[in-house]
Every structure is written in C-alpha cells, then in structure tokens.
C-alpha cells in the first residue's frame, strides 16, 4: 500500500534554468505518485496520514533523465575483437538460450536499478536484445518492482553488415524492408525507433569506419515516416558529418553522438519539417568516447583502431556540441552507459564534462538533464520538473549541484513515481572509477 509523503523544509531546484532556488519549502506527494503541492514550509498543511521526511537544508530537484543508455552491460571494459565465427557461436550458444536470456534480463534489471539508486529516475534505452527492455518496462509499469521510468527501442534498425548487425539489429536494405522493421519493433511494443545511419566505434574494423555512411536518405525517410505516422520518435546513431546530414534530411528526431556541423546541418537541426516536432535535438555522449580516445592504451587496453576511431569521433562530436550551444540547437544529455568505462551510476561525469567543454553553466546543464531531456523525449507532461501534477520523480542532495555538479555523485534519497528509496545504494565498479578519477582533474 502506497503512502503520501511530505518533503519538509527543503531547498527546491526546479529543473528550469530560469527559476531560482526556493528555500524552506515543503513538497507534498500524493499516494497516487504525483506532486500534490509545493509551498513555503510555514504555509503547507501536511495531512496527518502523510509520512513526513525532514530535509532541513537539503536540496530537492527533479530526478535525472539519461537519454541514451543500453541496459545489457554495466560499463566494464569489453572488446569485440573476436572473430565473426566466435561471436556467432557466443550469440547462438550462450546469449540466445533460455539460460542466457534469463541471465541477460537479470543483468539489465540490475543495471536499471543501479541507475535509479544513483538518481536517474528515467532512462531511454536505445538498443537491446530480444525485446527484454520491453518486458522490463512492462514489469515496472505493472508495479512488479520499483524501477526507473523506461522508454525502450528494442533492436536497432541497421543495414546488412551495418552497426550492431546482425545480433543487436533488425537488418533491412531498402525503404520497404526498413518500414517492415519499424512495424516489427512496433508490434513488439517499443516506445521509439533507434537506427544506425553510420558505423560505430565498437564494431569498426578499420580507422574511419565508425563514421562511414551505412543507411541511405531514402531508408531513413521511410523509417521516419512509418514511425511518425503513429507518433513515435526516431533516434539516429550517427558518428560523422555526412551521416548527420543524411539523418536530418530523412527526418530523425534526435541525433545520438553527433559530429561537426556546417550551415546546412545547423539549419536542419533548428528547423526540420520532417521531424515529429519540427526540429531535431542532439544527444551527445562525450563520456563514451573520451576514455578510449584520450587515455593511454596501456590504461584502457583498447586496440589502436578503437583508440583512433574514438579520437576521430570524440573530436568531431565535441565540435558539434560547441556549435549546437552557439546556435541554440536543442541539446539533451545521454551517456551511452554500457559502453566501456561508462557505468549506469555516473551521469554526473557527462554533465561535468559538458560544463568544462562548453559555455553552459551548472544551472543550464541541470536543466538539460531534466526538463530539456523530458521535452526531447516527449514526456515533459509527466516528468522532468518539479510542478504540481507531475510524477514525483525526485532526488535529494546534501550539497548544491549548482555550486558543484559533482554533488550529483552522491544522492541522499531517490523518489520515483512517489516510491521513496530512503537509503539508495549503488555497487560501484572500482577499476572503472579509479581509472576515470585518475584523469578527472587534468582533462583538457
Ligand atoms: Zn548507444
């Protein structure tokens, strides 16, 4: 049986860069999981059956939204350098078995809970095996366990030999095959479509391959038309300028990762008549490329090809992010958690990284990880800010993230849809933390 809560005497950060911090506030959370009232502590009457949580001096802000994750892995370094035959064997004889699928599902659930306990109350998962993401979303919605809000894409849509193909992707080689693959994912219950317009770092075999074009504009356009017809978004994995151009012209709603822009690309982001909302947003994932790109091979143990591809992708992505800030292109926040050195619990590192590398201040960065992400994902009527009637997706912090963004690394409490996690606990991956911490201070 759910109960109502009163967060008493807290400082409220609304998730809106234009609003200041209000002090000595009380927030009432109805047992239906929605925010019921926000007001001065001295003026809000707390119903007697509500559980009062004393938060004197602590900060309450909207739960974080991670717009780009994969649940299938936890961020420990991995390599896909095995031969095709070995990968094929591993897929068919280990992963795609009853036991393999059940192990995978447990791992995905654990990763989702790790994220939640670290303050991420909403995750958009963009590429998983066997529609296990759809199952987990449905179990959370049916209250079988308290998990984060999940938006899920199921399999990638890719081309023959393309990024993620064949195991993580539905393969199509024409606009009609691509449409059919949208329909297959929709039939299986996805919330959005994820496509791979270019190659990717994880499975590129030679330098330069990560950004190579794989999908045609006709295929992208067919996918977008099919998805937009039923009101769902298309997210495009893109790691080069030419890839971004094709994806934008085809009408995608978000560019994942991104690359350096030219005039045509800038204006297509801002005004894209084929995109569902009339513009396309950028979800950079700097933290996914940074360690492999910039750290010494002896530390990261990645292959030279991976390092070189990561460097190309990172440098171009960073230019793209700076251009997006300069030209007022809508930017969200994602991490690509699951990739090597990207865990599910350190979204703050991406925020810190963005702050150091762009002119965005902490207030604007927090807005992007909450309100703006919700708008980009089309869920701002439900979550992403502290407003009456929105879901009570909240985090409590001892320190102000506006003074130091790293305050988000240590969340005191988490609430999702009105369910309170009073003592969140995150199992960290020491080797990953140590490597990243060792270079945190001296990054360029
Ligand atoms: Zn990804």
């Amino acid at each position: 049986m759910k109960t109502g809560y009163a967060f008493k005497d807290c400082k409220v950060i609304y998730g809106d860069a234009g609003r200041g911090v209000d002090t000595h506030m009380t927030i009432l959370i109805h047992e239906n999981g929605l925010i019921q009232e926000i007001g001065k502590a001295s003026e809000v009457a707390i119903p007697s059956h509500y559980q009062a949580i004393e938060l004197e001096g602590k900060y309450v802000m909207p739960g974080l939204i991670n717009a780009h994750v994969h649940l299938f892995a936890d961020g420990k370094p991995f390599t896909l350098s095995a031969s095709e035959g070995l990968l094929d064997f591993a897929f068919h004889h280990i992963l795609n078995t009853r036991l393999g699928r059940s192990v995978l599902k447990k791992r995905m659930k654990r990763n989702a809970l790790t994220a939640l306990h670290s303050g991420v109350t909403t995750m958009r998962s963009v590429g998983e095996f066997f529609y296990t993401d759809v199952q987990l979303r449905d179990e959370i919605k049916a209250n079988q366990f308290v998990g984060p809000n999940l938006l899920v894409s199921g399999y990638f849509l890719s081309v023959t030999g393309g990024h993620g193909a064949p195991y993580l992707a539905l393969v199509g080689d024409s606009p009609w095959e691509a449409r059919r693959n949208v329909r297959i994912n929709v039939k299986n219950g996805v919330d959005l479509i994820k496509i791979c317009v270019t190659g990717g770092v994880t499975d590129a075999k030679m330098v330069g391959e990560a950004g190579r074009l794989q999908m045609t504009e006709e295929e992208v356009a067919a996918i977008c038309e099919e998805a937009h017809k039923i009101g769902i978004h298309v997210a495009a994995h893109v790691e080069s300028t030419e890839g971004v151009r094709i994806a934008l012209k085809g009408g995608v709603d978000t560019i994942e990762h991104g690359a350096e822009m030219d005039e045509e690309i800038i204006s297509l982001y801002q005004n894209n008549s084929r995109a569902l909302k009339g513009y396309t947003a950028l979800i950079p994932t700097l933290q996914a490329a940074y360690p492999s790109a910039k750290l010494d091979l002896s530390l990261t143990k990645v292959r030279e090809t991976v390092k070189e591809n990561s460097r190309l992708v990172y440098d171009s992505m960073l230019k793209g992010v700076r251009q997006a800030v300069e030209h007022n292109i809508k930017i969200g926040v994602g991490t690509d958690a699951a990739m090597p050195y990207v865990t599910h619990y350190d979204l703050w590192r991406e925020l810190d990284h963005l702050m150091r590398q762009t002119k965005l201040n902490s207030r604007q960065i927090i807005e992007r990880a909450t309100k703006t992400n919700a708008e980009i994902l089309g869920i701002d009527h439900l979550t992403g800010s502290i407003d009456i009637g929105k879901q009570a997706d909240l985090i409590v912090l001892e320190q102000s993230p506006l003074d130091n963004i790293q305050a988000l690394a240590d969340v005191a409490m988490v609430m999702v849809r009105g369910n309170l996690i009073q003592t969140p606990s995150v199992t960290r991956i020491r080797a990953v933390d140590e490597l990243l911490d060792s270079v945190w201070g001296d990054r360029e």
Side-chain angles (χ1 to χ4, degrees):
M1 187 61 195
K2 261 193 177 173
T3 171
Y5 289 97
F7 279 6
K8 283 179 73 179
D9 198 10
C10 52
K11 297 175 180 162
V12 177
I13 299 170
Y14 291 93
D16 184 331
R19 278 160 94 179
V21 180
D22 281 336
T23 56
H24 301 297
M25 300 293 284
T26 288
I27 303 174
L28 293 187
I29 295 113
H30 194 272
E31 55 239 36
N32 66 9
L34 305 181
I35 296 171
Q36 179 184 354
E37 198 175 337
I38 309 158
K40 281 284 166 201
S42 54
E43 291 163 13
V44 174
I46 300 172
S48 58
H49 61 290
Y50 276 35
Q51 192 178 329
I53 309 289
E54 303 288 345
L55 294 179
E56 197 187 339
K58 294 190 172 72
Y59 294 82
V60 177
M61 62 169 270
L64 300 169
I65 300 176
N66 192 341
H68 188 127
V69 309
H70 305 271
L71 292 168
F72 61 74
D74 60 8
K76 282 193 203 98
F78 63 83
T79 162
L80 290 177
S81 59
S83 72
E84 231 162 81
L86 198 64
L87 283 179
D88 196 63
F89 182 88
F91 180 79
H92 290 292
H93 294 88
I94 301 171
L95 191 59
N96 193 11
T97 60
R98 243 178 93 133
L99 179 66
R101 285 175 178 233
S102 126
V103 169
L104 175 70
K105 189 174 172 192
K106 282 196 191 112
R107 191 195 304 157
M108 288 170 64
K109 181 173 171 179
R110 194 178 62 219
N111 290 336
L113 292 176
T114 295
L116 178 63
H117 280 242
S118 79
V120 176
T121 50
T122 301
M123 310 171 87
R124 185 178 65 152
S125 162
V126 287
E128 307 285 355
F129 300 94
F130 318 126
Y131 302 108
T132 316
D133 49 349
V134 174
Q135 289 172 31
L136 285 174
R137 180 205 62 197
D138 289 346
E139 288 175 14
I140 292 168
K141 274 195 173 165
N143 282 319
Q144 290 178 30
F145 68 98
V146 175
N149 305 301
L150 283 184
L151 293 175
V152 300
S153 76
Y155 285 105
F156 291 168
L157 265 51
S158 198
V159 300
T160 296
H163 186 48
Y167 311 116
L168 192 54
L170 301 180
V171 168
D173 288 308
S174 71
W176 284 106
E177 286 187 4
R179 272 182 204 273
R180 185 200 52 202
N181 288 337
V182 174
R183 292 170 185 165
I184 293 172
N185 268 353
V186 168
K187 174 173 170 279
N188 281 283
V190 302
D191 299 300
L192 73 146
I193 301 295
K194 166 75 179 297
I195 67 174
C196 300
V197 176
T198 69
V201 169
T202 41
D203 51 10
K205 290 184 183 63
M206 56 183 102
V207 172
E209 198 183 325
R212 194 182 290 165
L213 262 179
Q214 294 182 338
M215 233 173 231
T216 65
E217 187 185 326
E218 290 73 20
E219 287 164 333
V220 178
I223 289 167
C224 291
E225 201 184 289
E226 200 61 39
H228 293 166
K229 215 158 65 179
I230 55 165
I232 67 173
H233 288 164
V234 177
H237 161 101
V238 194
E239 298 192 335
S240 67
T241 299
E242 287 322 299
V244 172
R245 194 187 318 280
I246 293 296
L248 290 172
K249 282 184 169 173
V252 306
D253 302 288
T254 56
I255 297 285
E256 311 294 313
H257 320 301
E260 190 174 1
M261 308 172 186
D262 58 21
E263 291 295 319
E264 182 188 34
I265 287 174
I266 290 167
S267 76
L268 273 169
Y269 267 111
Q270 293 166 333
N271 205 328
N272 192 341
S273 59
R274 277 180 152 170
L276 203 53
K277 290 200 283 270
Y279 67 85
T280 299
L282 172 64
I283 311 286
T285 61
L286 297 173
Q287 232 0 72
Y290 176 81
S292 303
K294 299 289 178 181
L295 303 186
D296 202 83
L297 284 174
S298 64
L299 294 172
T300 57
K301 313 257 186 324
V302 298
R303 284 171 301 131
E304 186 65 48
T305 321
V306 172
K307 182 177 169 77
E308 194 50 25
N309 275 325
S310 299
R311 195 187 60 74
L312 290 170
V313 167
Y314 177 80
D315 290 348
S316 182
M317 194 194 310
L318 185 55
K319 283 183 191 153
V321 178
R322 287 177 174 152
Q323 289 172 303
V325 172
E326 199 181 316
H327 294 277
N328 262 324
I329 289 166
K330 199 125 169 157
I331 310 174
V333 176
T335 62
D336 219 350
M339 293 303 106
Y341 304 105
V342 192
T343 70
H344 287 274
Y345 56 78
D346 55 7
L347 180 57
W348 73 271
R349 287 189 197 272
E350 182 74 21
L351 303 180
D352 182 71
H353 204 134
L354 275 167
M355 247 176 80
R356 288 170 190 248
Q357 296 289 0
T358 68
K359 293 191 178 114
L360 296 171
N361 61 37
S362 57
R363 200 171 272 219
Q364 295 166 317
I365 291 283
I366 285 171
E367 182 181 65
R368 272 157 189 78
T370 55
K371 187 168 170 279
T372 309
N373 262 357
E375 285 164 9
I376 292 171
L377 273 42
I379 51 172
D380 50 314
H381 57 298
L382 300 173
T383 189
S385 62
I386 300 188
D387 286 300
I388 292 170
K390 295 253 173 103
Q391 286 177 191
D393 297 337
L394 306 168
I395 56 179
V396 178
L397 303 166
E398 303 276 354
Q399 309 284 331
S400 170
L402 298 172
D403 299 338
N404 178 7
I405 202 81
Q406 199 170 346
L408 290 167
D410 197 9
V411 174
M413 288 181 209
V414 182
M415 176 173 271
V416 64
R417 299 179 306 280
N419 298 287
L420 181 64
I421 302 169
Q422 215 152 349
T423 48
S425 85
V426 169
T427 309
R428 291 170 192 275
I429 304 169
R430 254 196 42 210
V432 171
D433 286 359
E434 280 173 5
L435 179 81
L436 295 176
D437 286 343
S438 73
V439 292
W440 213 252
D442 48 57
R443 288 163 319 133
E444 52 192 82

